[in-house]
Amino acid sequence: GNMFIGAFIDIGADKDKIIDVMKTYSEDFGDVKIDIKKQPKNGIMSTYAEIIAEDNNKARHYKDIIEKLDMITEEKYPDDETIAKTTALTKKIFKTIADAECKAHGMSIDEIHFHEVGNTDAICDVIGASYAYHLLGLDKEKVYSLPIATGYGTVNTQHGLLPVPAPAVINILGDVPTQGG
C-alpha cells in the first residue's frame, strides 16, 4: 500500500488530501504517524509513504474492520462520492484478503482475523492507496501491469516462518501472471 501511495502521488494524486483521509480513518483504528517524502530507491528518486502505527501485532476480525470503515464513512463523509468509492474498494480489498486467509487457514469468514494486515498502518495503506486511485480517476481507465514479481525466500509472521509468496498471497493471485524475484 505505501508504495502504491507514493507512486500515485508521483503521478499527481494530492498528498495532503491522502494524508487527511488516512488520519481521519486512523482516529478510530489507532494512532499513526504518516511521513511522505522523496527519497532515493536504488538510485532513483521516488515518493515513499511511511505509515507507522503503535498497535502492531493487534489482531482484528474482518467483520470489525468492515463495520468500522462503514461507520467512519457514514459519520465523517456522508455525501462524498470519492470517499464512498474509496470505502467500497477498501472493503473489496479486505474481502479478497479475508477469502484468501479463510482458504489458507480452513476457517469461515466469521472466524478469520488479520494479524499484520489488521494493524492500523496496513489499514491506512489500503485506504490511502484506494483514495489516491480514485483521486486520479483510475477507476474510469484500464490499468495494465507486467507480471507480478512475487519475491522469494521466507518471512517471519505471527503464524511463524512462511514461504514467499505466502499461502494467502498465492490464493489471491490465482491465475494472475507472476514471476519470481
Side-chain angles (χ1 to χ4, degrees):
N2 56 354
M3 290 183 280
F4 279 112
I5 294 168
F8 288 147
I9 289 169
D10 279 344
I11 63 171
D14 187 314
K15 175 177 95 171
D16 294 328
K17 286 183 178 181
I18 295 166
I19 290 171
D20 286 344
V21 167
M22 288 191 298
K23 283 185 176 180
T24 298
Y25 278 88
S26 72
E27 290 170 4
D28 286 285
F29 283 104
D31 291 330
V32 293
K33 178 182 174 234
I34 301 168
D35 185 22
I36 299 176
K37 62 182 177 253
K38 289 279 195 188
Q39 68 181 40
K41 180 82 171 171
N42 295 327
I44 307 294
M45 281 306 269
S46 62
T47 299
Y48 182 72
E50 183 176 28
I51 297 130
I52 301 170
E54 296 179 11
D55 72 340
N56 284 346
N57 303 322
K58 179 178 182 178
R60 285 194 171 94
H61 286 272
Y62 164 74
K63 179 182 155 199
D64 296 335
I65 293 171
I66 299 306
E67 287 175 357
K68 202 172 274 198
L69 287 169
D70 284 336
M71 179 199 71
I72 297 165
T73 301
E74 289 170 20
E75 285 181 8
K76 312 250 174 149
Y77 301 102
D79 300 318
D80 189 318
E81 183 181 330
T82 303
I83 292 291
K85 291 193 275 186
T86 297
T87 303
L89 179 57
T90 300
K91 289 167 50 177
K92 184 177 180 178
I93 291 167
F94 277 105
K95 176 74 164 85
T96 300
I97 296 168
D99 289 342
E101 292 283 354
C102 287
K103 186 175 178 183
H105 295 291
M107 301 172 99
S108 75
I109 201 154
D110 292 329
E111 298 172 294
I112 201 70
H113 61 275
F114 300 126
H115 292 283
E116 291 84 1
V117 296
N119 292 335
T120 300
D121 60 337
I123 293 168
C124 284
D125 281 344
V126 176
I127 291 166
S130 297
Y131 184 61
Y133 174 83
H134 287 290
L135 279 178
L136 292 169
L138 296 176
D139 56 318
K140 299 172 183 99
E141 304 291 333
K142 287 186 179 183
V143 178
Y144 298 91
S145 172
L146 295 171
I148 304 296
T150 59
Y152 56 88
T154 57
V155 63
N156 281 315
T157 72
Q158 294 219 340
H159 291 291
L161 194 63
L162 294 177
V164 172
V169 173
I170 291 170
N171 292 338
I172 290 170
L173 292 174
D175 294 331
V176 172
T178 63
Q179 65 183 32

